[in-house]
Structures are given as C-alpha cells and as structure tokens.
Amino acid sequence: MKINALLLLVLICHLSYAAKTKVVFLNVDPRTQSVEVVLDSPPQGDYLDGSKYHLVGINSALPNGELHWIALSDVQISPTGKIVVLIPQNPAEIKATKQLMLFVASEPAVTQSKYEKNPAKPTEKPSKANSDIYLNGTYSPAINGAAQYSIDTSVGLLFPLAPSSETNYGSVGFLGTVKSDKRPTANPDSYRFFGVYQRVLNKEPHWPLEGVLFIGLIAGAEFDRKANNVNFISSPILDFPIRLRGEIHNKGSLVPVLTPELGMEIGNNFTNAINANGQGFIARGLAGGTLGIDFKSKLAFFKSVHLASTYRVRIPAFAEVYTRTATNAAGKTIDVPGLSTQARHYIKNELDFGLWKPLSFAITHEYGTLPPAFRLVDQKVSIGFTLALQPKGDLQGQLTGK
C-alpha cells in the first residue's frame, strides 16, 4: 500500500505543465509488446525527449500490485511523423497489463485499455493485400464487341505455430488465387495454390519501416483453365511494409502504406502451350510493390475510399511461355503463344468506394501478364463490386497479392 500511495503521489503532482502536442491513442504491438504513441501533431518540447516518457501499468498481475512502473529500453521518436515507439525492457510486463497510463514529463498524457477500440485509431479498409477472403467481380464494356466479365478471387489463411509462446515461430497456412481472363464469359485461366510459411524477421519496428516480412510459398502449383500450362513453384519473398500514415482521425485524411517486395520463383514446367513435355526447370526474379491509400469519404453514399496500386515484374532466367492475342479472319480472339525470357510486367490500379465495411463499388485498371500462361491483358478498365472479408483480422499481410 505504501508503494502504491507513493506512486500515486508522484503521478498526480506537477500537473501544471502545458504542451501543445497531445497524445491521440496508444497501440500495443501484440508481437513485440512495444507501445506505439500516436500524436496529434509533430512532437515538440518534452515530447522530443525520450527520457521524459514514463509508462505505468494498471490492474496488472505483477508483484507491486495494481500500479507498476514499466521500464523502457528505448524510445524511438519521429520528429515529423507524429509517431513515438516505446520499447519495454521486459515485454512480459506489457503483456500482463490490462491498462496503460502514459506520462510525458509530469503530464498525464493518456490512460487507455490495451484492447479498447479507440475511435481515433486508424482502421485499414479490407483489401486484397490484407483480407483472408477477397472476391472482385467486374464488367468491362466493349466498343464494337461483346462485353467482358472477369473475376479475381483469393482465399488464404494462416495459423501461428505457437500462439501461446513468447517466441515468434511464424505461421503456416495456405493460399489459393483464381484470376479470370479477358473473355465474354468469366472463364478463369490463372489458378495458383500454395502451402505458406510466414514470419516477421525483425524483433521491433523502426518507423517508418514496420519490419521485414518473410513469406515462403513453400510448394504449390499454377495452371491455366485447360491445363495447357502447368508449373510446380516454390517462392521465397521479402516484404518491407513502410507506413506513411496521415491523420486518419480527421475526416478526409490520407493513410498511405507502401510495401516494396523482392523475391524469386523457382520450380518446374511440366507442360505448356508449345511443348507438351514442358520446359523443365524454371526460375524467375520477382520485384515490385503495392501502394495503398485509405481516407474517410466525404461523399454521401460511401463510407470510405480506398486506392491501391500494384506493380510486379517477373524476369525469367530461362525461356517461358508468353501469350499474346490476335483476331482471326472470323473476328474471334485467339491466343498466340511463344517462348521468351522477356520481363513480364503486371500493373493493377483499383479504386474502391465503400458501401459497407466488406463490400465496395470498384473501378479497376489492368495491364500486363500473370503466370502461368502470361496472357497479355491490354489496358483493361472494369467496373464492379469487391467483397473483402477478414475472418480473424490479422492474417495474410501481402499474401493474397501474390
């Protein structure tokens, strides 16, 4: 009791300190137990001094009772980004604490449950990059030709190897994607199914770099609609999510997230449209990234607006199928496959207007090629609807964009 009384006395003294900078909310990283402090403006005064940050646990299952000082090993301050990251000396102290109290100098900045849903906290709109189940159906009007319908679907689930452990052993799961071609009916021509292992390689984030994410598409298959092109693929990938976040608590503010990636795809081609016996060993370099921007909508009928732009390039080390299209004498579109080592670029831009959280009206633009047939999609613009679900809310990362 004496310890608690003394601690309370220290906490409530010197409340006359006034600072222009204010804390909006605290966010605890469940993986590292580091505490992210989000400010309403760039830090100034005592908020620029890491030694002035003090963290207290409330109602914790720790020896000193209901109030407990939490020692910090590091305080990472971004002068312009309005983000401060507090790294605890003992992550278990944060994990055992139900509620946190933050002091900057002697000012009580904020008291907050670790798990409460703060209305000011940014909530990322479900998209292909962060959803466990993603379905995009589009319609492409055509001039002097039949209208075109397409689907783009991904289902992927991950499960932690040791969910109750303090050690990060990563997660395992599966990923399946189906992408339709550019035909009058929605005939899928790109299937990809993989077993997946994912692990965050860094122990703590260094703003604005959130971390380094290893994604291993351990073993899987990719094939087209008629199985004319069939590959076995294994693919190690590194993602580098960079948070360039604005003030989401202000209406209309932007929340951009940039995720560069680097990797490779290796495996075997069993058959293709030119050689029924296949090309044998295949290897591709993989690079690209995704930029996603979310902001609250000022439009009457839409709850949110999400803009995503994805670019990937695959560079084959050995000749692989590349499929162009042509129009025959009967006016029918036909495939014209060939073998080459040319780079295979793919760009997709998607603008979603949220109707309600999982469902949005979508406008998409595509150009480029996807495995295994690498059939060229030439400047396709479509309109339709997107359904993006997050059953567990913390899965996938960039998995469904692969």
Side-chain angles (χ1 to χ4, degrees):
M1 290 300 296
K2 290 183 179 180
I3 295 176
N4 285 340
L6 179 60
L7 183 56
L8 281 173
L9 181 62
V10 173
L11 295 181
I12 64 176
C13 69
H14 304 300
L15 297 183
S16 60
Y17 174 81
K20 293 182 180 179
T21 304
K22 298 294 181 184
V23 176
V24 178
F25 68 92
L26 307 179
N27 180 36
V28 178
D29 186 331
R31 176 176 47 83
T32 64
Q33 300 301 316
S34 60
V35 179
E36 179 188 70
V37 181
V38 178
L39 308 175
D40 68 344
S41 59
Q44 54 184 299
D46 285 342
Y47 285 79
L48 283 170
D49 186 349
S51 66
K52 298 294 181 68
Y53 286 79
H54 307 289
L55 201 58
V56 175
I58 305 175
N59 297 325
S60 59
L62 296 169
N64 286 344
E66 293 194 355
L67 293 175
H68 185 84
W69 290 111
I70 296 176
L72 303 175
S73 63
D74 190 20
V75 177
Q76 301 169 359
I77 301 175
S78 172
T80 59
K82 308 175 190 176
I83 301 291
V84 178
V85 179
L86 311 179
I87 309 297
Q89 285 186 4
N90 181 9
E93 290 185 325
I94 301 289
K95 191 171 184 179
T97 301
K98 297 180 180 179
Q99 198 170 25
L100 296 173
M101 180 183 293
L102 174 67
F103 284 74
V104 181
S106 58
E107 178 191 14
V110 68
T111 301
Q112 180 179 308
S113 166
K114 289 197 302 179
Y115 306 106
E116 75 178 85
K117 294 183 178 180
N118 193 299
K121 182 177 179 179
T123 54
E124 187 179 26
K125 181 197 176 295
S127 65
K128 188 174 184 179
N130 62 21
S131 300
D132 301 327
I133 300 173
Y134 173 92
L135 172 62
N136 173 241
T138 59
Y139 160 82
S140 300
I143 299 174
N144 300 324
Q148 298 164 353
Y149 302 88
S150 62
I151 58 173
D152 185 2
T153 303
S154 294
V155 177
L157 294 175
L158 290 174
F159 304 93
L161 288 173
S164 60
S165 173
E166 294 286 338
T167 305
N168 173 26
Y169 293 103
S171 302
V172 294
F174 69 91
L175 166 69
T177 69
V178 176
K179 185 77 172 65
S180 77
D181 62 6
K182 188 181 178 183
R183 302 189 185 191
T185 56
N187 295 317
D189 73 344
S190 179
Y191 296 81
R192 307 187 85 209
F193 298 95
F194 294 96
V196 179
Y197 172 76
Q198 176 179 291
R199 183 177 180 181
V200 179
L201 299 183
N202 61 310
K203 293 184 178 180
E204 56 191 48
H206 296 279
W207 193 93
L209 180 65
E210 284 291 278
V212 179
L213 179 65
F214 172 77
I215 301 169
L217 305 183
I218 304 169
E222 55 183 32
F223 51 93
D224 61 4
R225 180 173 55 99
K226 295 182 179 180
N228 290 328
N229 301 276
V230 179
N231 298 330
F232 167 82
I233 291 291
S234 181
S235 176
I237 299 170
L238 292 176
D239 276 1
F240 306 90
I242 299 172
R243 181 176 46 188
L244 309 172
R245 190 164 63 195
E247 302 172 56
I248 191 62
H249 55 281
N250 290 334
K251 191 173 184 180
S253 295
L254 300 179
V255 183
V257 178
L258 174 65
T259 307
E261 71 176 18
L262 189 64
M264 64 183 302
E265 297 174 338
I266 56 176
N268 189 82
N269 171 243
F270 295 104
T271 184
N272 61 60
I274 294 178
N275 185 351
N277 295 321
Q279 300 299 117
F281 181 73
I282 57 177
R284 313 169 188 144
L286 175 66
T290 300
L291 175 64
I293 303 177
D294 292 271
F295 58 92
K296 292 184 177 179
S297 174
K298 295 181 180 179
L299 303 174
F301 299 102
F302 301 112
K303 296 182 177 298
S304 62
V305 179
H306 173 73
L307 174 64
S309 182
T310 299
Y311 168 74
R312 286 188 180 87
V313 59
R314 290 175 168 89
I315 305 176
F318 309 99
E320 289 190 58
V321 168
Y322 186 90
T323 308
R324 293 180 172 85
T325 57
T327 303
N328 63 15
K332 183 179 179 180
T333 299
I334 59 174
D335 291 341
V336 183
L339 293 174
S340 76
T341 57
Q342 72 184 86
R344 287 93 197 281
H345 304 273
Y346 179 73
I347 299 171
K348 181 176 182 180
N349 302 303
E350 183 172 343
L351 181 61
D352 290 319
F353 298 91
L355 302 174
W356 52 289
K357 190 170 183 180
L359 183 66
S360 60
F361 172 74
I363 303 173
T364 61
H365 163 263
E366 290 179 86
Y367 176 82
T369 62
L370 289 172
F374 290 105
R375 188 175 191 269
L376 180 63
V377 176
D378 190 7
Q379 307 296 353
K380 178 183 177 183
V381 178
S382 308
I383 57 175
F385 292 91
T386 295
L387 180 67
L389 301 175
Q390 297 167 291
K392 295 185 71 174
D394 57 353
L395 303 181
Q396 298 272 64
Q398 295 295 306
L399 273 180
T400 52
K402 306 305 173 201

